[in-house]
Amino acid sequence: MPKKALITGITGQDGSYLAELLLKKGYEVHGMIRRASSFNTERLDRIYKDPHLPDNHLFLHYGDLSDSVATYKAVDTIQPDEVYHLGAQSHVRVSFDIPEYTGDVTGVGTVRLLEAIRGCAPKARFYQASSSEMFGLVQQVPQNETTPFYPRSPYGAAKVYAFWITVNYRESYGLHASNGILFNHESPRRGETFVTRKITRAVARIQAGMQDKLYLGNLDAKRDWGYAPEYVEAMWLMLQMDQPDDYVIATGETHTIREFLDESFGHVGIDWKPLVDIDPRYYRPAEVDLLIGDASKAKRQLNWTPKTNFKELVRLMTEADIELLRLERSGEMVRR
C-alpha cells in the first residue's frame, strides 16, 4: 500500500510542487480545498497532463480550515501517514486588512488540524509551514532556529501561534510534528499579487507594450529568496526523520527588491527606474526590513542545501512570464 499524504493549501504554489514530488515518490496524495463558485486548481492541471505522474493517486476533498468539523472529517476519512499543513491566508500586506480572518485561518486553523490528528490519526507525521515573517523586527543576523520571534504583521503573529502550538502538541501528546521555518521562496507559480511575481509579470507586459507603469512599495526591503520546488523537498525530508524538530530553510543570501528589479528588467535590457512608481498603499504599517536565514542545521541533519541562486531564480521567473504572456496572446494558453 502506498503512503497517504494530506496537503492543506494544495492549490497554492508550494502545495502543487509538493503534490508532484509526493506523486513521483509513489504516494497517494489527498488535498483539502475550499468550495467556491469557480475552480482554483490551475496549478494542479499539469499533474493530469503529465504522463509520468499518476493522476489516479490524487484526490481532492472539500474543506476549510475555519471549519473544525470538516477538518476532522477529512483527517478521519483519509487516515493519512503524513500531513503537510500549507494552507493559510498567506499574504502579509493583506493580513493588515483582514487581521481577524488571518488569525482564525492561519493561526487557529492549525490547532483545528492538530486536534483532528490527535483524535483520529495520532501516528500521522505533521509538517507546519512556519515563516521567516515570524522574525519580523530581527533580533539576530542571520536568523536560525533559536532566534527570538518579533512578528510585525497579523500574518507573522498568527504564524508564531501556529509554530508554538505545533511544538506544544509535539511535547504534550508525542505527535511527530515539525516546523519548517521557510524563508521567501518563489517560482513561476507564485501568486501574481506577491512582489516578485508582480515584477516578472510586469516585465513581460512592459516589454510587449501592454503596460506602462509598475507600482510598488518599499524597494529597500531585503529578503532571502529561494526556489520553491527545492523548499518543498525540505518539507518531505523533515517528515522522514526519526525524531520531529524545527528547521530554518533558506539560502543564506539577502537581496533588495531593487536588486530583483535590476535582474528582471535587466534580463530583457530595460531600465526599470522610469517605469516604477512608489505607491504608499503598498507600504506595510510595520515594515520588515531584513530577513536572512541560517540553514546550517538543515544542511547538517537533513542533508538539504539550496541549488538555485538568486540570479537564476529571477531569470527563470522572468522567462516563464514572458512565455506565459506569449501563450495568452496567441490563444495557446496552457497552464504551467
Side-chain angles (χ1 to χ4, degrees):
M1 290 288 291
K3 279 187 177 181
K4 289 192 286 187
L6 169 61
I7 304 172
T8 69
I10 194 172
T11 59
Q13 169 189 256
D14 292 5
S16 64
Y17 283 122
L18 180 61
E20 289 176 19
L21 176 72
L22 295 178
L23 287 169
K24 289 175 183 175
K25 291 182 179 295
Y27 280 66
E28 179 180 299
V29 176
H30 296 258
M32 195 165 79
I33 62 172
R34 285 174 295 177
R35 188 179 292 276
S37 58
S38 59
F39 290 109
N40 181 33
T41 56
E42 295 90 350
R43 292 184 180 94
L44 300 176
D45 286 351
R46 70 171 287 162
I47 291 174
Y48 297 100
K49 296 172 183 175
D50 189 333
H52 302 294
L53 292 176
D55 58 15
N56 62 328
H57 284 187
L58 175 64
F59 304 90
L60 301 180
H61 306 259
Y62 287 115
D64 195 302
L65 290 167
S66 65
D67 184 342
S68 58
V69 174
T71 303
Y72 197 100
K73 284 174 64 176
V75 174
D76 191 32
T77 301
I78 297 162
Q79 287 295 306
D81 299 290
E82 297 172 3
V83 177
Y84 296 87
H85 181 35
L86 314 183
Q89 189 302 100
S90 59
H91 198 290
V92 179
R93 178 62 189 83
V94 170
S95 76
F96 286 99
D97 300 324
I98 48 172
E100 181 181 347
Y101 176 79
T102 300
D104 184 37
V105 173
T106 305
V108 181
T110 304
V111 80
R112 293 187 183 106
L113 186 54
L114 283 165
E115 271 293 286
I117 292 168
R118 184 170 78 91
C120 58
K123 299 297 183 183
R125 297 188 172 194
F126 177 76
Y127 170 84
Q128 162 60 20
S130 293
S131 168
S132 59
E133 288 288 333
M134 299 188 304
F135 295 120
L137 186 63
V138 298
Q139 306 298 294
Q140 174 184 322
V141 178
Q143 296 89 55
N144 62 29
E145 293 82 5
T146 62
T147 303
F149 299 138
Y150 196 138
R152 298 269 281 173
S153 65
Y155 169 78
K159 282 291 187 182
V160 169
Y161 173 82
F163 174 94
W164 282 117
I165 202 68
T166 298
V167 173
N168 185 261
Y169 271 62
R170 179 170 75 211
E171 295 178 349
S172 300
Y173 304 116
L175 297 186
H176 192 296
S178 296
N179 283 289
I181 307 173
L182 272 56
F183 280 63
N184 293 66
H185 47 289
E186 316 296 318
S187 77
R189 299 184 195 176
R190 190 57 142 151
E192 292 179 14
T193 61
F194 289 84
V195 66
T196 52
R197 187 73 198 292
K198 190 174 178 181
I199 291 169
T200 58
R201 188 85 166 120
V203 168
R205 293 177 62 81
I206 288 170
Q207 185 191 43
M210 298 174 64
Q211 183 172 327
D212 298 321
K213 286 282 186 180
L214 171 61
Y215 297 93
L216 298 173
N218 180 14
L219 304 187
D220 297 314
K222 295 180 178 180
R223 294 292 183 269
D224 184 328
W225 278 301
Y227 186 36
E230 297 168 7
Y231 282 45
V232 301
E233 184 179 8
M235 300 176 187
W236 177 78
L237 287 169
M238 290 178 209
L239 296 200
Q240 311 318 304
M241 301 297 288
D242 290 337
Q243 298 299 323
D245 208 341
D246 308 317
Y247 298 90
V248 162
I249 303 298
T251 70
E253 294 183 10
T254 189
H255 299 274
T256 65
I257 293 170
R258 290 182 190 276
E259 290 177 80
F260 201 103
L261 287 162
D262 285 339
E263 292 295 332
S264 188
F265 278 90
H267 184 67
V268 296
I270 295 175
D271 178 11
W272 62 266
K273 294 178 183 64
L275 304 170
V276 174
D277 283 351
I278 303 301
D279 188 334
R281 291 178 300 173
Y282 294 121
Y283 278 98
R284 302 180 187 179
E287 268 295 342
V288 173
D289 296 319
L290 168 65
L291 292 173
I292 178 170
D294 173 9
S296 55
K297 179 179 176 181
K299 181 177 182 180
R300 185 173 64 252
Q301 295 188 14
L302 304 179
N303 196 30
W304 180 89
T305 54
K307 300 177 180 65
T308 304
N309 65 35
F310 175 71
K311 290 179 182 289
E312 292 169 335
L313 173 65
V314 180
R315 177 187 55 77
L316 71 87
M317 288 182 66
T318 304
E319 290 180 353
D321 267 323
I322 291 170
E323 175 63 9
L324 179 62
L325 184 62
R326 185 192 70 79
L327 292 171
E328 288 173 345
R329 298 181 78 188
S330 67
E332 304 171 43
M333 178 61 190
V334 291
R335 295 292 177 180
R336 289 181 298 278

